[in-house]
Amino acid sequence: MDHINHTWIQSFILTGFTTTGTLQPLAFLGTLCIYLLTLAGNILIIVLVQLDSGLSTPMYFFISVLSFVEMWYVSTTVPTLLHTLLRGCSPILPAVCFIQLYVFHSLGMTECHLLGVMALDRYLAICHPLHYHGLMSRQVQLRLAGATWVAGFSAALVPATLTATLPFCLKEVAHYFCDLAPLMRLACVDTSWHARAHGAVIGVATGCNFVVILGLYGGILNAVLKLPSAASRAKAFSTCSSHVTVVALFYASAFTVYVGSPGSRPEGTDELIALVYALVTPFLNPIIYSLRNKEVKEAFRRVIDRIRTF
């Protein structure tokens, strides 16, 4: 790799989306509303799981952990998105940029591992119902949840460190937050090796979890098809439908951005895809998982009644 003379970049500039006229305030207000609703929905789920005994099951514990992850995940990128929508191009210090890069990917990989753990929970509940509560004790739940955080924040160290140690000659980041591909385009050196390393780490983490999820759902499908009645099969499938929907959204967007070839996509495509998994998916998850769920609605009514009584 050739060594090229370069100067230290004092700050990067996030270019964000190009919005003008009446579209700019509408985009800002729309993004702000989605962000606040996302926070409110996830906070509501966490509070309900903590306060209502009817939701004290492993499934809802992991959903509350997912809600906690999603709150921080969306809060990592939305503030810079709002700033670019309101002010246009926004400067960001390199240290802040690399911290954002690391935290964003750490939380993304944590969610990836957590989705695998949630698939395991559904597998044990459906395929081993008699041993389910023994296998998924409170201690096991806490260990599994902790392992997802450790695995996520450890795996993200590799791409974040490799990117942070690159020499940069340009400073305009063609994105609304600091991400791998836009930052590598600013480097003074050939980054093909870095791209392969990033793809290997992220691909192995997401790919292995995806294969595990497929395997677990293969076992679930096999067990459900053996149930005697259509009603029992429908009930079993209903407990998995929300998880399958979120997995499909998460992996479709993640594979498109991080496993595909960035150069083969039109300019601006990465930012639009990033909106799906960094903003839209965290907004939809509380609705998909819980807020439309009968048990959650009943828990909400019980908590409100307790507050009124108090």
Side-chain angles (χ1 to χ4, degrees), residues 135-150:
L135 293 170
M136 196 60 74
S137 64
R138 186 66 174 180
Q139 188 176 25
V140 172
Q141 295 171 43
L142 292 172
R143 286 179 177 177
L144 287 172
T148 62
W149 284 82
V150 173

Side-chain angles (χ1 to χ4, degrees), residues 59-120:
M59 181 180 76
Y60 284 107
F61 168 76
F62 289 124
I63 287 175
S64 69
V65 175
L66 178 67
S67 293
F68 184 75
V69 173
E70 296 268 279
M71 285 172 54
W72 291 105
Y73 184 65
V74 74
S75 297
T76 305
T77 59
V78 170
T80 52
L81 171 59
L82 291 172
H83 196 270
T84 56
L85 288 174
L86 189 65
R87 302 284 185 180
C89 295
S90 302
I92 183 171
L93 293 173
V96 177
C97 181
F98 296 134
I99 290 172
Q100 183 186 50
L101 172 72
Y102 172 63
V103 173
F104 176 74
H105 282 276
S106 297
L107 293 172
M109 291 192 183
T110 299
E111 181 172 345
C112 176
H113 293 300
L114 188 57
L115 290 174
V117 169
M118 294 171 79
L120 174 64

Side-chain angles (χ1 to χ4, degrees), residues 218-264:
I220 290 172
L221 181 62
N222 183 55
V224 169
L225 292 177
K226 292 179 180 178
L227 294 176
S229 66
S232 59
R233 289 194 293 270
K235 183 178 180 180
F237 278 129
S238 68
T239 64
C240 302
S241 60
S242 298
H243 182 258
V244 170
T245 304
V246 172
V247 167
L249 281 172
F250 180 87
Y251 279 98
S253 55
F255 276 127
T256 301
V257 173
Y258 297 111
V259 180
S261 173
S264 63

Side-chain angles (χ1 to χ4, degrees), residues 12-202:
F12 292 113
I13 297 176
L14 300 174
T15 59
F17 291 100
T18 304
T19 54
T20 56
T22 57
L23 186 60
Q24 185 174 3
L26 288 176
F28 176 82
L29 290 174
T31 303
L32 180 61
C33 287
I34 292 175
Y35 176 54
L36 294 177
L37 287 172
T38 301
L39 293 181
N42 285 300
I43 289 172
L44 178 61
I45 290 172
I46 294 170
V47 170
L48 289 177
V49 172
Q50 292 296 318
L51 295 182
D52 190 81
S53 58
L55 300 182
S56 57
T57 64
M59 181 180 76
Y60 284 107
F61 168 76
F62 289 124
I63 287 175
S64 69
V65 175
L66 178 67
S67 293
F68 184 75
V69 173
E70 296 268 279
M71 285 172 54
W72 291 105
Y73 184 65
V74 74
S75 297
T76 305
T77 59
V78 170
T80 52
L81 171 59
L82 291 172
H83 196 270
T84 56
L85 288 174
L86 189 65
R87 302 284 185 180
C89 295
S90 302
I92 183 171
L93 293 173
V96 177
C97 181
F98 296 134
I99 290 172
Q100 183 186 50
L101 172 72
Y102 172 63
V103 173
F104 176 74
H105 282 276
S106 297
L107 293 172
M109 291 192 183
T110 299
E111 181 172 345
C112 176
H113 293 300
L114 188 57
L115 290 174
V117 169
M118 294 171 79
L120 174 64
D121 172 69
R122 291 298 82 212
Y123 173 81
L124 294 176
I126 293 172
C127 299
H128 303 281
L130 297 179
H131 304 94
Y132 173 59
H133 291 288
L135 293 170
M136 196 60 74
S137 64
R138 186 66 174 180
Q139 188 176 25
V140 172
Q141 295 171 43
L142 292 172
R143 286 179 177 177
L144 287 172
T148 62
W149 284 82
V150 173
F153 276 75
S154 299
L157 276 172
V158 176
T161 303
L162 288 175
T163 305
T165 53
L166 284 171
F168 294 98
C169 291
L170 304 174
K171 62 180 182 178
E172 285 196 2
V173 183
H175 213 304
Y176 63 87
F177 68 93
C178 293
D179 205 0
L180 293 172
L183 283 173
M184 286 195 297
R185 295 189 192 107
L186 310 182
C188 304
V189 295
D190 179 24
T191 58
S192 56
W193 180 85
H194 296 77
R196 287 193 294 271
H198 297 163
V201 173
I202 297 173

